[in-house]
Amino acid sequence: MVAAVPTLFFTRSAGASDSVATDLMVLGALFVIAYGLGRLGKLVKLPAIPIYMLVGLLASPHTGFFPLNFDSGDIELIAIFGLILLLFNLGLEFDQDEFFGNAGRLLISGGTYIVLNMGMGFLFGELVGWGTREALIIAGMVGTSSSAIITKMLIELGRLANNETPAILGATVIGDVFIAIYLAIVSVVLSGKTEFWPVVLQLSIAAVFLVVMFAVARWGARLFSALFRTRDDELFTILFFGLALLFAGLGELIGVTDAIGAFLIGLVLGATRFSGKIERISIPLRDVFAAFFFLNFGLALNIAEFGSVAWLVIIAVVLTVVLNVISGELIALFNRLDARDGINIAAVLMNRGEFTLILATLSLAAGLNQKLEPFAGLYVLIMAILGPVLTANSERIGAALIRPRRRPSKKGRNPVLDEEIGLVDAVTSGQQSDEGDPQDEPSREAVDRVVEEAMRQAGADDSRKQN
């Protein structure tokens, strides 16, 4: 019987191993292509998201550009891991101290951005005519920024020390909190329940789940810190990955989506004293699994369907740019920044990416209008290219469009002259100059005369002291 086991194994797996080998080779080739395109994208500071989607789109069976067939269903579970880790890291990077320390200012800045973008996005979604549930999804797609791309752009462009960066990060923090609440509402809407009390019950469960997890993150993180007291990195990694999957499943079970469950446990673990180590290990995992998520989304796209939503996407892109310019200038005004800073804020915040695709995935699973998928795919492809390009050039755009604020005149001031004037003032302090009107602009001749007078006066004082 012992000898029969390997025989049975090899007999059963002989046909499957060819398929697995082919899938592995195709998948490996796709990632190598993604690497090559990613290197090219880096030259113009493009993020990886549109690259992965583009590779998936080229390999899509709907497109037929790629010589080998690949079934997106083979990586569906890995793609879900990518979604979970994306939201897990979003919660992990949430800055609680910034939120609770500057809640008032953040709520005004971030709240203005959300109300303006989500409000107009919902109105646009209603005008599209696909239905109210679809309009709510479209509002989230066009009204929420990509935290991952924003953070990456600020680091790569060296803008972390800029005046406007705290306002941008503040708006992002409020956006992350809003995403948690928004997902809870969306989960109820997508559930299809229309009766009053079941909807109230599910919203109440979602609200309790949110409040409890935020409270644990704020006051109970020590309990979770105790779990991570191990020097074994392998067990450490297995633990936080297991918790991410566990709470994602719990979120799905109680009807608030797996994404929000992962976000909330990330929020809790981010408050522990092991948050830095978790983040350091989880980011490479997130990047790998997220590549599967974006690749899988690209595989499901059909270029032939883009034509049916092209005009709507163009309107959505124009709407996004206009709304972000308005809200960027308002945020600059609230934070006492100038109009050029407002242009930088607008360009950074208009970056869209993973959250739009997550909403499209959730809406398709709920059976909403199938045009949401090509709409989200084309919209993200355009915005994930347009956003970084505008962000990289926002300072030039601001300089071209807005004249610098006129400052008090320092024209014609010579630093050496100013230094000499300072020395003269120090030497002749208390003495009244008889060289003319003190409001006149100092000249080289006038200063020379004052210097000579001061030196003569100083020499006379020395002579008196010696006598």
Side-chain angles (χ1 to χ4, degrees), residues 1-168:
M1 183 175 180
V2 174
V5 173
T7 303
L8 177 62
F9 173 77
F10 286 115
T11 302
R12 189 175 59 183
S13 61
S17 63
D18 291 342
S19 175
V20 170
T22 303
D23 287 347
L24 289 175
M25 289 176 65
V26 173
L27 195 55
L30 294 179
F31 275 94
V32 171
I33 294 171
Y35 167 78
L37 294 178
R39 289 293 299 269
L40 293 175
K42 287 290 181 186
L43 297 177
V44 290
K45 300 188 182 302
L46 274 184
I49 291 174
I51 302 293
Y52 298 144
M53 285 180 59
L54 186 62
V55 172
L57 187 62
L58 293 174
S60 170
H62 303 295
T63 307
F65 290 156
F66 201 66
L68 299 172
N69 291 324
F70 189 78
D71 186 1
S72 64
D74 291 341
I75 60 169
E76 189 172 356
L77 183 60
I78 307 176
I80 293 175
F81 288 170
L83 185 151
I84 290 171
L85 285 173
L86 280 169
L87 270 295
F88 174 76
N89 275 269
L90 187 65
L92 195 65
E93 295 165 3
F94 182 79
D95 192 339
Q96 291 191 56
D97 293 334
E98 173 71 10
F99 176 71
F100 288 105
N102 301 294
R105 181 173 55 81
L106 293 180
L107 283 173
I108 293 174
S109 298
T112 301
Y113 183 85
I114 290 168
V115 168
L116 187 59
N117 285 268
M118 285 288 294
M120 293 302 295
F122 183 76
L123 182 60
F124 169 69
E126 286 285 9
L127 292 175
V128 168
W130 291 344
T132 301
R133 293 197 300 171
E134 284 81 355
L136 183 64
I137 296 295
I138 291 175
M141 289 179 174
V142 303
T144 50
S145 303
S146 167
S147 300
I149 297 180
I150 287 174
T151 308
K152 207 169 184 179
M153 292 300 297
L154 290 174
I155 294 172
E156 290 183 356
L157 294 174
R159 294 187 183 178
L160 288 178
N162 280 18
N163 292 334
E164 73 277 6
T165 298
I168 293 171

Side-chain angles (χ1 to χ4, degrees), residues 43-315:
L43 297 177
V44 290
K45 300 188 182 302
L46 274 184
I49 291 174
I51 302 293
Y52 298 144
M53 285 180 59
L54 186 62
V55 172
L57 187 62
L58 293 174
S60 170
H62 303 295
T63 307
F65 290 156
F66 201 66
L68 299 172
N69 291 324
F70 189 78
D71 186 1
S72 64
D74 291 341
I75 60 169
E76 189 172 356
L77 183 60
I78 307 176
I80 293 175
F81 288 170
L83 185 151
I84 290 171
L85 285 173
L86 280 169
L87 270 295
F88 174 76
N89 275 269
L90 187 65
L92 195 65
E93 295 165 3
F94 182 79
D95 192 339
Q96 291 191 56
D97 293 334
E98 173 71 10
F99 176 71
F100 288 105
N102 301 294
R105 181 173 55 81
L106 293 180
L107 283 173
I108 293 174
S109 298
T112 301
Y113 183 85
I114 290 168
V115 168
L116 187 59
N117 285 268
M118 285 288 294
M120 293 302 295
F122 183 76
L123 182 60
F124 169 69
E126 286 285 9
L127 292 175
V128 168
W130 291 344
T132 301
R133 293 197 300 171
E134 284 81 355
L136 183 64
I137 296 295
I138 291 175
M141 289 179 174
V142 303
T144 50
S145 303
S146 167
S147 300
I149 297 180
I150 287 174
T151 308
K152 207 169 184 179
M153 292 300 297
L154 290 174
I155 294 172
E156 290 183 356
L157 294 174
R159 294 187 183 178
L160 288 178
N162 280 18
N163 292 334
E164 73 277 6
T165 298
I168 293 171
L169 295 178
T172 306
V173 168
I174 292 297
D176 292 344
V177 175
F178 172 76
I179 284 173
I181 299 170
Y182 172 77
L183 279 178
I185 296 172
V186 163
S187 66
V188 176
V189 173
L190 295 185
S191 69
K193 293 177 181 175
T194 55
E195 296 178 6
F196 180 75
W197 287 113
V199 170
V200 170
L201 176 62
Q202 191 162 348
L203 278 175
S204 300
I205 292 172
V208 169
F209 191 43
L210 282 171
V211 171
V212 169
M213 295 300 281
F214 267 89
V216 171
R218 187 63 178 166
W219 294 289
R222 287 184 179 180
L223 296 174
F224 282 84
S225 292
L227 289 174
F228 287 93
R229 288 176 186 166
T230 174
R231 294 182 179 179
D232 191 315
D233 287 348
E234 182 179 349
L235 293 178
F236 186 91
T237 305
I238 291 296
L239 178 58
F240 77 73
F241 186 71
L243 286 173
L245 297 185
L246 179 65
F247 276 79
L250 180 62
E252 190 72 22
L253 184 66
I254 63 177
V256 295
T257 76
D258 49 2
I260 194 171
F263 172 83
L264 291 174
I265 189 61
L267 187 78
V268 172
L269 298 188
T272 68
R273 61 191 181 89
F274 296 98
S275 60
K277 186 175 180 179
I278 297 172
E279 189 173 351
R280 191 169 62 252
I281 298 175
S282 67
I283 285 178
L285 288 176
R286 178 202 65 185
D287 291 344
V288 171
F289 284 108
F292 280 94
F293 174 75
F294 297 122
L295 185 73
N296 190 52
F297 192 88
L299 283 168
L301 291 177
N302 186 353
I303 291 180
E305 295 179 348
F306 283 173
S308 63
V309 295
W311 281 109
L312 292 175
V313 171
I314 291 172
I315 294 172

